[in-house]
Amino acid sequence: MSFKLKLNNRFTEALPADPVPENYRRQVEQACFSWVFPKKTSNPKVLHVSPEMLAELGISEEAANSLEFLKMVSGDSVLPNSKPFAMCYGGHQFGHWAGQLGDGRAINLGEVESQGKHWMLQLKGAGPTPYSRSADGLAVLRSSIREYLCSEAMYHLGVPTTRALSLVLTGDQVLRDVMYDGHPEYEKGAIVCRVSPTFLRFGNYEIFAARNDVETLKTLVDFTIKHHFPELDKPSKETYLKFFETVAKRSLDLVMHWQRVGFVHGVLNTDNMSILGLTIDYGPYGWLEGYDHGWTPNTTDREFKRYRFGAQPSIVHWNLFQLANALYPLVEEAEGFEQILNDFKKQYQQAFHHMMKAKLGLFSEDETTLEVINELENVLHLSETDMTIFFRLLGDVEKSKAQNGLEVVKKAFYAQDEISGNIKNRWEAWFQSYTLLLQKETLSDIERKTKMNKTNPKYVLRNYMAQLAIDAADKEDYGLLDELFTLLKKPYDEQPEYEKWFAKRPDWARHKVGCSMLSCSS
Ligand code: AMP
Ligand code: MG
């Protein structure tokens, strides 16, 4: 059983290619991409495929079992009528311009047209490219499972994201020093086939602005608008500003989703900011367990915590400022950009307020709502309180039972005995004012709970859950990988058969590598 994909190579046909055909590390100028073939794998094996992504691409489950499919997603054969390539981009990493980065271990197979949509298929970990710098272009099973599971889970959560089609074991060994402490070890190599309408990032535009190559910058921006923002007019200064404004809006929407579900990206460099406002590049990301604005999963960021949970909105703003700088040569007037960047801050306040109201099940207007939200942020930080469990259980609070609130959310506290004295008083006072607001709501308790359950997921990919799936997969047991994949398709449903995953992080996972802290090594 084979399958046929309709290819439409818009990116490579319209944009300038690097004329050098050889695959060696270099600076690539005046080009948006370089042609490059994936490396042959020694013993590839498909570990998992996403049925939802298969359906989008019009590939049957039967075809996904074929040798042809295995060859495609392992990079052992390329798509007919398409030539694989790696993109050139730069980026600001941890606040500093880092120069050329590019697809160092991502190879685009081609653009597939299916059911009126365009999907770029990209292999992550398929070997070196001209952009690999000093690294090997490969990926390990550990990080590939994390990307595969999380990107599909995000899709089902309703969070804009790149997708994943498949997870493949390459049969090759890859050397990694996980904690950067001089103890490298061999790990299993793997490849995720990622899918997105485009993988363009802020860094794709920044690189041309940084090199004063306004011509290529304009070609790329015009291409992006034509194919990915077709609702905008023909290129002009106003259209470029409108483009920036649209990207800013989408980025705001994205970061509000992250704050809503408790996702911390971990490496919000400008090369990890999708121009479409999608979550992209799943590296040392993490999910909040205790609600904590200061938390970051990324060990590399331990000291300054630049990319901590509470800072994500202002970091997205900072990244947009860099994109504005990159687009400036096309407009040559700062005012329009400044206005959009200022508006972002105001819109963020409103969006945050709106999102928290939805999490709390408050749908009417009341002047005390903001105070109640602010005080909740404070009390949540008084003792370790599980974000997912707290908000999910909050839906069970009844309007008529103010004194009962603490009892209802009890399971969310990591140390029950800490909920005493002043902390207990603060919580009780908070529940008093919250129930007063609930009493002003027109919805019944059950109607409110139903709405809240669509905003507050019951199941997210907790860091230790992914690690358990990784540990099992490392021993060739892929049962948990499949169980979590299935569980996370319905994150807002009760799914009583999976109740064991509606639980706080176990104690053993508190300080375990991969569970609470992650390095960038992948
Ligand atoms: P990241 O931190 O994953 O966003 O990656 C930053 C840059 O490093 C990107 O240009 C990646 O393509 C590149 N990179 C990361 N890991 C590797 C690797 N193993 N081999 C080659 N390039 C890599
Ligand atoms: Mg990246």
Side-chain angles (χ1 to χ4, degrees):
M1 176 77 201
S2 71
F3 57 94
K4 210 167 161 56
L5 298 172
K6 183 175 172 202
L7 288 150
N8 192 341
N9 302 310
R10 302 183 304 179
F11 190 88
T12 49
E13 274 168 19
L15 297 168
D18 170 11
V20 180
E22 289 87 16
N23 185 2
Y24 63 91
R25 275 75 157 174
R26 60 182 176 268
Q27 291 293 307
V28 174
E29 311 239 341
Q30 294 171 319
C32 291
F33 65 93
S34 307
W35 303 111
V36 61
F37 284 94
K39 185 176 176 256
K40 290 263 177 289
T41 56
S42 57
N43 187 17
K45 184 180 166 192
V46 176
L47 295 187
H48 212 274
V49 286
S50 162
E52 293 73 27
M53 202 59 239
L54 278 179
E56 281 281 7
L57 295 171
I59 305 175
S60 70
E61 300 214 9
E62 204 185 341
N65 285 318
S66 66
L67 184 62
E68 200 183 337
F69 184 84
L70 171 71
K71 284 187 166 180
M72 173 178 87
V73 294
S74 61
D76 286 350
S77 70
V78 301
L79 295 173
N81 308 320
S82 194
K83 252 171 91 180
F85 65 96
M87 284 196 278
C88 178
Y89 58 78
H92 279 84
Q93 297 187 315
F94 293 92
H96 304 281
W97 176 243
Q100 178 182 299
L101 299 167
D103 286 332
R105 57 158 163 188
I107 297 180
N108 300 278
L109 292 179
E111 203 177 345
V112 173
E113 208 181 317
S114 172
Q115 300 160 55
K117 294 186 198 162
H118 287 85
W119 298 104
M120 185 69 82
L121 266 53
Q122 182 184 81
L123 303 183
K124 184 169 177 179
T129 76
Y131 308 96
S132 298
R133 296 175 290 156
S134 58
D136 57 10
L138 303 174
V140 294
L141 180 61
R142 163 173 58 82
S143 63
S144 303
I145 288 181
R146 285 171 49 82
E147 169 134 18
Y148 178 78
L149 278 179
C150 199
S151 58
E152 286 301 278
M154 289 289 253
Y155 165 72
H156 293 293
L157 277 165
V159 182
T161 180
T162 61
R163 303 283 304 274
L165 172 65
S166 57
L167 170 68
V168 166
L169 208 54
T170 60
D172 296 307
Q173 296 289 305
V174 176
L175 197 60
R176 287 290 180 269
D177 186 358
V178 181
M179 294 318 292
Y180 300 121
D181 59 1
H183 295 99
E185 278 180 31
Y186 280 103
E187 297 186 43
K188 292 180 182 176
I191 296 175
V192 172
C193 180
R194 307 200 287 190
V195 188
S196 173
T198 175
F199 288 95
L200 283 167
R201 309 134 188 273
F202 289 10
N204 287 83
Y205 308 88
E206 286 181 278
I207 188 80
F208 299 117
R211 289 171 169 170
N212 268 322
D213 180 357
V214 182
E215 190 188 332
T216 314
L217 173 69
K218 185 175 182 322
T219 309
L220 180 63
V221 172
D222 291 353
F223 171 87
T224 311
I225 293 174
K226 181 174 172 196
H227 296 292
H228 300 290
F229 296 78
E231 71 279 15
L232 301 182
D233 290 335
K234 293 259 164 320
S236 70
K237 289 191 177 187
E238 287 91 83
T239 304
Y240 296 136
L241 279 177
K242 201 84 200 134
F243 167 59
F244 179 65
E245 191 180 14
T246 312
V247 176
K249 282 218 167 77
R250 290 200 192 178
S251 306
L252 174 63
D253 178 58
L254 174 66
V255 73
M256 286 327 302
H257 276 291
W258 290 344
Q259 305 312 94
R260 171 175 68 83
V261 298
F263 175 81
V264 187
H265 183 286
V267 203
L268 274 184
N269 293 333
T270 56
D271 53 300
N272 289 338
M273 291 286 296
S274 145
I275 202 71
L276 298 183
L278 309 174
T279 314
I280 190 172
D281 278 10
Y282 291 82
Y285 68 82
W287 293 82
L288 281 197
E289 303 197 277
Y291 190 80
D292 178 3
H293 278 210
W295 186 71
T296 175
N298 184 356
T299 50
T300 315
D301 196 18
R302 200 165 15 192
E303 193 179 351
F304 299 112
K305 297 193 186 335
R306 178 180 170 87
Y307 297 140
R308 64 191 181 275
F309 176 64
Q312 293 190 122
S314 61
I315 286 294
V316 166
H317 183 262
W318 192 91
N319 289 341
L320 282 164
F321 183 82
Q322 303 311 322
L323 180 65
N325 275 337
L327 299 177
Y328 175 82
L330 304 183
V331 180
E332 293 179 308
E333 269 168 23
E335 216 184 318
F337 290 112
E338 281 164 6
Q339 183 68 48
I340 295 163
L341 287 166
N342 286 337
D343 287 349
F344 179 96
K345 287 195 181 155
K346 286 182 228 143
Q347 288 158 357
Y348 161 68
Q349 291 302 336
Q350 287 165 0
F352 181 74
H353 190 182
H354 186 77
M355 182 271 285
M356 286 303 277
K357 277 182 69 182
K359 286 188 82 63
L360 290 167
L362 301 173
F363 305 101
S364 342
E365 286 308 318
D366 190 285
E367 65 271 21
T368 64
T369 311
L370 200 52
E371 273 167 51
V372 171
I373 291 172
N374 290 340
E375 177 60 3
L376 175 62
E377 295 266 314
N378 295 332
V379 277
L380 277 171
H381 282 87
L382 292 178
S383 71
E384 199 180 6
T385 312
D386 194 276
M387 176 181 181
T388 307
I389 298 179
F390 175 81
F391 282 103
R392 186 71 181 191
L393 293 179
L394 199 64
D396 292 329
V397 172
E398 293 171 43
K399 289 185 194 187
S400 55
K401 295 187 182 157
Q403 65 287 7
N404 217 8
L406 254 186
E407 195 54 33
V408 172
V409 301
K410 200 167 94 186
K411 185 179 163 181
F413 299 117
Y414 277 83
Q416 306 270 348
D417 55 349
E418 281 179 10
I419 313 301
S420 61
N422 181 44
I423 297 183
K424 188 167 183 218
N425 295 341
R426 291 271 297 270
W427 269 117
E428 281 173 347
W430 184 80
F431 272 108
Q432 284 288 351
S433 31
Y434 176 56
T435 10
L436 277 180
L437 285 180
L438 289 185
Q439 282 157 9
K440 295 179 188 168
E441 290 292 322
T442 46
L443 296 181
S444 69
D445 282 335
I446 186 76
E447 287 165 336
R448 189 184 67 252
K449 177 178 165 159
T450 308
K451 277 188 94 161
M452 286 169 78
N453 282 358
K454 290 182 181 147
T455 299
N456 299 325
K458 180 169 177 182
Y459 302 103
V460 295
L461 183 62
R462 289 169 184 272
N463 314 307
Y464 83 91
M465 290 162 64
Q467 189 58 42
L468 287 175
I470 291 165
D471 291 343
D474 210 37
K475 298 186 192 104
E476 292 175 37
D477 173 357
Y478 308 112
L480 193 51
L481 173 70
D482 187 58
E483 178 175 332
L484 295 183
F485 189 91
T486 308
L487 164 77
L488 296 168
K489 279 186 198 186
K490 293 180 180 158
Y492 300 102
D493 287 9
E494 287 302 329
Q495 302 193 80
E497 67 278 26
Y498 289 125
E499 197 71 22
K500 68 170 187 236
W501 297 118
F502 183 59
K504 288 181 289 252
R505 169 203 58 227
D507 233 22
W508 60 259
R510 182 176 289 270
H511 300 296
K512 188 173 179 317
V513 175
C515 296
S516 60
M517 317 173 283
L518 292 127
S519 79
C520 289
S521 159
S522 56

